[in-house]
Amino acid sequence: MIDRICISINNRCNLACRYCHFREKDKMEATEMDVYEILDNVKQYADKEFKIGFVGDGECFLDWPLLKSYITYIEDFPNISAYTITNGTICLCEEDWMFLEEHRINVGFSIDGYKALHDLNRCNSFDRAINNVKYYKQITGHYPTFNATVGRESLENAREVIAFFKPFGTKVTFSRRIGRDGISLQEYRDFLAKAEKEIPVRRGGKDCTMYGGQCGAGINNYFFANGKVYYCGNCIDLLPVGDSSMTFEELEKISLEFDRNYCYKESL
Protein backbone atom coordinates (compact mmCIF):
# COMPACT_ATOMS: atom_id res chain seq x y z
CA MET A 1 0.00 0.00 0.00
CA ILE A 2 1.27 3.46 -0.91
CA ASP A 3 1.70 5.72 2.12
CA ARG A 4 3.84 8.60 0.87
CA ILE A 5 4.27 10.80 -2.19
CA CYS A 6 6.02 14.02 -3.20
CA ILE A 7 4.29 16.87 -4.98
CA SER A 8 6.18 19.61 -6.80
CA ILE A 9 3.85 22.60 -6.61
CA ASN A 10 5.88 24.85 -8.90
CA ASN A 11 8.84 25.04 -11.23
CA ARG A 12 10.34 28.25 -9.94
CA CYS A 13 13.49 28.66 -7.91
CA ASN A 14 15.45 31.75 -6.92
CA LEU A 15 18.72 29.78 -6.84
CA ALA A 16 20.58 27.82 -9.50
CA CYS A 17 22.52 25.36 -7.38
CA ARG A 18 25.50 23.87 -9.14
CA TYR A 19 24.42 20.27 -8.60
CA CYS A 20 20.64 20.56 -9.12
CA HIS A 21 19.74 17.49 -11.19
CA PHE A 22 16.36 19.00 -12.10
CA ARG A 23 18.15 21.66 -14.10
CA GLU A 24 20.36 19.24 -15.99
CA LYS A 25 19.32 18.70 -19.59
CA ASP A 26 16.51 21.27 -19.29
CA LYS A 27 14.34 18.98 -17.16
CA MET A 28 12.47 21.89 -15.65
CA GLU A 29 9.10 22.51 -17.31
CA ALA A 30 6.16 24.79 -16.65
CA THR A 31 3.13 22.56 -17.15
CA GLU A 32 0.00 23.27 -15.12
CA MET A 33 -1.03 20.60 -12.61
CA ASP A 34 -4.18 20.33 -10.48
CA VAL A 35 -2.73 19.76 -7.01
CA TYR A 36 -6.19 19.77 -5.43
CA GLU A 37 -7.13 16.78 -7.59
CA ILE A 38 -4.08 14.91 -6.30
CA LEU A 39 -5.02 15.80 -2.72
CA ASP A 40 -8.60 14.63 -3.34
CA ASN A 41 -7.22 11.29 -4.54
CA VAL A 42 -5.12 11.05 -1.38
CA LYS A 43 -8.15 11.77 0.80
CA GLN A 44 -10.16 9.04 -0.91
CA TYR A 45 -7.35 6.51 -0.72
CA ALA A 46 -5.58 7.06 2.60
CA ASP A 47 -7.34 5.18 5.39
CA LYS A 48 -4.06 4.90 7.35
CA GLU A 49 -1.11 7.20 7.96
CA PHE A 50 -0.08 8.97 4.75
CA LYS A 51 2.74 11.47 4.24
CA ILE A 52 2.94 14.17 1.60
CA GLY A 53 6.15 15.99 0.79
CA PHE A 54 5.56 19.36 -0.79
CA VAL A 55 8.96 19.33 -2.47
CA GLY A 56 10.30 19.12 -5.98
CA ASP A 57 11.92 21.08 -8.74
CA GLY A 58 11.12 24.51 -7.31
CA GLU A 59 11.22 26.59 -4.13
CA CYS A 60 7.80 26.15 -2.51
CA PHE A 61 7.97 29.36 -0.50
CA LEU A 62 8.04 31.39 -3.73
CA ASP A 63 4.39 30.33 -4.02
CA TRP A 64 3.57 30.55 -0.33
CA PRO A 65 -0.19 31.35 -0.76
CA LEU A 66 -0.58 28.17 -2.85
CA LEU A 67 1.38 26.03 -0.39
CA LYS A 68 -0.66 27.41 2.48
CA SER A 69 -3.90 26.62 0.65
CA TYR A 70 -2.83 23.01 0.04
CA ILE A 71 -1.95 22.53 3.70
CA THR A 72 -5.29 24.02 4.73
CA TYR A 73 -7.05 21.69 2.27
CA ILE A 74 -5.87 18.57 4.13
CA GLU A 75 -6.04 19.92 7.69
CA ASP A 76 -9.25 18.01 8.52
CA PHE A 77 -7.56 14.68 7.76
CA PRO A 78 -5.37 13.89 10.81
CA ASN A 79 -4.00 10.73 9.18
CA ILE A 80 -2.43 12.85 6.41
CA SER A 81 0.80 14.56 7.47
CA ALA A 82 3.03 16.80 5.40
CA TYR A 83 6.47 18.28 5.22
CA THR A 84 8.27 20.75 3.00
CA ILE A 85 11.85 21.69 2.21
CA THR A 86 13.08 25.20 1.59
CA ASN A 87 16.40 26.62 0.44
CA GLY A 88 16.07 28.98 3.40
CA THR A 89 16.38 32.24 1.48
CA ILE A 90 12.71 33.25 1.69
CA CYS A 91 11.87 35.02 4.92
CA LEU A 92 8.34 34.23 6.04
CA CYS A 93 6.67 36.40 8.66
CA GLU A 94 6.00 35.23 12.20
CA GLU A 95 2.37 34.43 11.40
CA ASP A 96 3.36 32.17 8.51
CA TRP A 97 6.00 30.28 10.48
CA MET A 98 3.43 29.72 13.21
CA PHE A 99 0.91 28.50 10.63
CA LEU A 100 3.38 25.75 9.67
CA GLU A 101 4.06 24.99 13.31
CA GLU A 102 0.39 24.78 14.25
CA HIS A 103 -0.29 22.49 11.30
CA ARG A 104 2.62 20.24 12.36
CA ILE A 105 4.44 20.72 9.06
CA ASN A 106 8.03 19.63 9.35
CA VAL A 107 10.20 22.24 7.63
CA GLY A 108 13.58 21.13 6.36
CA PHE A 109 16.19 23.75 5.51
CA SER A 110 18.58 22.84 2.71
CA ILE A 111 21.98 23.66 4.18
CA ASP A 112 24.97 21.60 3.12
CA GLY A 113 27.18 22.43 6.09
CA TYR A 114 29.59 25.18 7.02
CA LYS A 115 29.54 28.45 5.06
CA ALA A 116 32.37 27.85 2.55
CA LEU A 117 31.05 24.42 1.59
CA HIS A 118 27.43 25.55 1.32
CA ASP A 119 28.26 28.67 -0.70
CA LEU A 120 30.41 26.67 -3.10
CA ASN A 121 27.35 24.96 -4.59
CA ARG A 122 24.37 26.98 -3.42
CA CYS A 123 24.86 30.47 -4.85
CA ASN A 124 26.40 32.11 -1.78
CA SER A 125 23.11 31.73 0.08
CA PHE A 126 24.47 30.60 3.45
CA ASP A 127 24.07 33.88 5.34
CA ARG A 128 20.44 34.33 4.28
CA ALA A 129 19.60 30.70 5.06
CA ILE A 130 21.24 30.56 8.48
CA ASN A 131 19.63 33.87 9.50
CA ASN A 132 16.23 32.39 8.67
CA VAL A 133 17.12 29.24 10.62
CA LYS A 134 17.76 31.47 13.65
CA TYR A 135 14.52 33.36 13.06
CA TYR A 136 12.61 30.09 12.77
CA LYS A 137 14.08 29.04 16.13
CA GLN A 138 13.14 32.39 17.67
CA ILE A 139 9.52 32.01 16.53
CA THR A 140 8.90 28.30 17.12
CA GLY A 141 11.25 27.61 20.02
CA HIS A 142 13.13 24.85 18.21
CA TYR A 143 15.48 24.47 15.28
CA PRO A 144 14.21 23.05 11.99
CA THR A 145 15.49 19.82 10.52
CA PHE A 146 18.15 20.03 7.83
CA ASN A 147 18.65 18.56 4.37
CA ALA A 148 22.26 18.42 3.26
CA THR A 149 23.50 17.20 -0.09
CA VAL A 150 26.60 15.03 0.19
CA GLY A 151 29.07 15.45 -2.66
CA ARG A 152 32.78 14.99 -3.12
CA GLU A 153 33.60 18.09 -1.08
CA SER A 154 31.48 16.79 1.81
CA LEU A 155 33.37 13.50 1.82
CA GLU A 156 36.70 15.28 1.87
CA ASN A 157 35.59 17.48 4.79
CA ALA A 158 33.34 15.04 6.64
CA ARG A 159 34.56 16.00 10.11
CA GLU A 160 33.81 19.69 9.54
CA VAL A 161 30.38 18.95 8.04
CA ILE A 162 29.34 16.78 10.97
CA ALA A 163 30.70 19.30 13.48
CA PHE A 164 28.63 22.06 11.87
CA PHE A 165 25.31 20.28 12.44
CA LYS A 166 26.08 18.96 15.93
CA PRO A 167 25.14 22.10 17.95
CA PHE A 168 21.64 22.27 16.43
CA GLY A 169 20.64 18.89 17.88
CA THR A 170 18.03 18.23 15.21
CA LYS A 171 17.77 15.50 12.61
CA VAL A 172 19.72 15.82 9.38
CA THR A 173 18.71 14.17 6.12
CA PHE A 174 21.89 13.69 4.13
CA SER A 175 21.05 13.16 0.47
CA ARG A 176 23.48 11.69 -2.01
CA ARG A 177 24.60 13.90 -4.84
CA ILE A 178 23.55 12.27 -8.09
CA GLY A 179 23.93 13.11 -11.75
CA ARG A 180 26.87 15.21 -12.79
CA ASP A 181 29.81 14.83 -10.36
CA GLY A 182 27.79 12.52 -8.13
CA ILE A 183 29.23 10.10 -5.58
CA SER A 184 28.78 6.34 -5.35
CA LEU A 185 26.17 4.71 -3.15
CA GLN A 186 28.89 3.05 -1.07
CA GLU A 187 30.74 6.33 -0.50
CA TYR A 188 27.49 7.88 0.63
CA ARG A 189 26.66 5.01 2.99
CA ASP A 190 30.12 5.19 4.52
CA PHE A 191 29.56 8.91 5.18
CA LEU A 192 26.19 8.19 6.83
CA ALA A 193 27.73 5.58 9.10
CA LYS A 194 30.31 8.13 10.24
CA ALA A 195 27.78 10.93 10.73
CA GLU A 196 25.23 8.98 12.76
CA LYS A 197 27.83 8.25 15.41
CA GLU A 198 27.69 11.93 16.40
CA ILE A 199 24.41 13.49 15.23
CA PRO A 200 20.78 12.45 14.63
CA VAL A 201 20.61 11.20 11.04
CA ARG A 202 17.47 10.33 9.16
CA ARG A 203 17.60 6.98 7.42
CA GLY A 204 14.56 6.35 5.26
CA GLY A 205 12.65 3.11 5.04
CA LYS A 206 11.35 2.02 1.65
CA ASP A 207 11.77 5.52 0.39
CA CYS A 208 14.96 6.39 -1.48
CA THR A 209 18.58 5.26 -1.53
CA MET A 210 19.45 8.97 -1.86
CA TYR A 211 18.24 9.35 1.74
CA GLY A 212 19.79 6.24 3.22
CA GLY A 213 16.88 3.85 2.79
CA GLN A 214 15.75 1.36 0.19
CA CYS A 215 14.48 2.43 -3.21
CA GLY A 216 10.74 3.00 -3.16
CA ALA A 217 10.30 3.45 -6.91
CA GLY A 218 6.99 1.96 -7.97
CA ILE A 219 5.82 1.66 -4.36
CA ASN A 220 6.47 4.59 -2.11
CA ASN A 221 8.33 7.34 -3.83
CA TYR A 222 5.95 8.59 -6.49
CA PHE A 223 6.74 12.10 -7.64
CA PHE A 224 3.98 14.36 -9.00
CA ALA A 225 5.27 17.18 -11.22
CA ASN A 226 4.46 18.94 -14.49
CA GLY A 227 1.07 17.25 -14.74
CA LYS A 228 2.65 13.78 -14.63
CA VAL A 229 3.56 11.04 -12.17
CA TYR A 230 7.11 9.68 -12.09
CA TYR A 231 8.61 6.79 -10.16
CA CYS A 232 10.62 9.37 -8.21
CA GLY A 233 12.29 12.74 -8.59
CA ASN A 234 15.43 11.03 -9.86
CA CYS A 235 13.43 9.44 -12.70
CA ILE A 236 12.07 12.59 -14.32
CA ASP A 237 14.03 11.96 -17.50
CA LEU A 238 12.40 8.52 -17.82
CA LEU A 239 8.92 8.10 -19.25
CA PRO A 240 6.28 9.13 -16.71
CA VAL A 241 4.06 6.51 -15.11
CA GLY A 242 0.99 8.48 -16.18
CA ASP A 243 -0.90 11.70 -15.67
CA SER A 244 -1.09 13.36 -12.26
CA SER A 245 -4.83 12.58 -12.18
CA MET A 246 -4.10 8.85 -11.77
CA THR A 247 -5.76 7.25 -8.76
CA PHE A 248 -3.68 5.44 -6.20
CA GLU A 249 -5.54 2.23 -6.96
CA GLU A 250 -4.15 2.51 -10.49
CA LEU A 251 -0.66 3.22 -9.17
CA GLU A 252 -0.86 0.14 -6.93
CA LYS A 253 -1.09 -2.07 -10.02
CA ILE A 254 2.41 -1.08 -11.13
CA SER A 255 5.08 -3.62 -10.27
CA LEU A 256 8.85 -3.19 -10.47
CA GLU A 257 11.14 -6.10 -9.68
CA PHE A 258 14.72 -5.22 -8.73
CA ASP A 259 17.08 -5.16 -5.76
CA ARG A 260 15.71 -2.29 -3.68
CA ASN A 261 18.98 -1.84 -1.84
CA TYR A 262 20.05 0.02 -4.98
CA CYS A 263 18.59 2.93 -6.93
CA TYR A 264 16.10 1.89 -9.63
CA LYS A 265 17.31 4.59 -12.01
CA GLU A 266 20.95 3.54 -11.59
CA SER A 267 20.06 -0.13 -12.03
CA LEU A 268 18.78 0.46 -15.58
Side-chain angles (χ1 to χ4, degrees), residues 48-68:
K48 297 181 180 179
E49 294 297 314
F50 196 101
K51 181 174 288 188
I52 299 173
F54 289 108
V55 297
D57 51 1
E59 167 55 52
C60 284
F61 286 178
L62 287 175
D63 288 286
W64 168 249
L66 277 178
L67 177 60
K68 186 176 181 179

Side-chain angles (χ1 to χ4, degrees), residues 5 25 27 56 60 70 139 141 159 180 211 221 226 238:
I5 60 171
K25 302 177 182 177
K27 294 174 185 175
C60 284
Y70 300 145
I139 298 301
R159 183 179 299 176
R180 184 178 58 244
Y211 303 136
N221 206 10
N226 306 320
L238 301 181

Side-chain angles (χ1 to χ4, degrees), residues 5 7-10 32-42 52 54 66-67 69-71 73-74 224-227 244:
I5 60 171
I7 303 175
S8 182
I9 71 167
N10 60 10
E32 291 294 323
M33 182 171 70
D34 188 343
V35 175
Y36 293 109
E37 182 177 34
I38 299 169
L39 298 179
D40 280 337
N41 285 338
V42 172
I52 299 173
F54 289 108
L66 277 178
L67 177 60
S69 72
Y70 300 145
I71 293 170
Y73 196 66
I74 58 175
F224 290 74
N226 306 320
S244 59

Side-chain angles (χ1 to χ4, degrees), residues 150 154-155 158 161-162 174 187-195:
V150 179
S154 308
L155 300 183
V161 173
I162 295 167
F174 288 107
E187 287 176 313
Y188 166 70
R189 286 172 172 166
D190 290 343
F191 175 91
L192 282 190
K194 186 180 298 183

Side-chain angles (χ1 to χ4, degrees), residues 152-243:
R152 186 65 51 195
E153 301 90 351
S154 308
L155 300 183
E156 294 170 353
N157 300 280
R159 183 179 299 176
E160 290 84 351
V161 173
I162 295 167
F164 169 80
F165 289 110
K166 198 168 184 177
F168 295 101
T170 57
K171 191 164 289 188
V172 183
T173 298
F174 288 107
S175 59
R176 179 168 67 103
R177 184 169 172 177
I178 59 176
R180 184 178 58 244
D181 302 323
I183 62 173
S184 73
L185 188 56
Q186 189 56 54
E187 287 176 313
Y188 166 70
R189 286 172 172 166
D190 290 343
F191 175 91
L192 282 190
K194 186 180 298 183
E196 64 187 358
K197 291 178 181 178
E198 300 189 48
I199 58 176
V201 172
R202 177 197 170 226
R203 279 185 177 267
K206 193 161 286 184
D207 178 4
C208 184
T209 59
M210 267 182 65
Y211 303 136
Q214 290 185 307
C215 181
I219 297 179
N220 238 8
N221 206 10
Y222 288 110
F223 180 68
F224 290 74
N226 306 320
K228 304 292 183 183
V229 189
Y230 301 86
Y231 287 123
C232 72
N234 189 24
C235 292
I236 57 171
D237 53 349
L238 301 181
L239 290 175
V241 176
D243 293 333

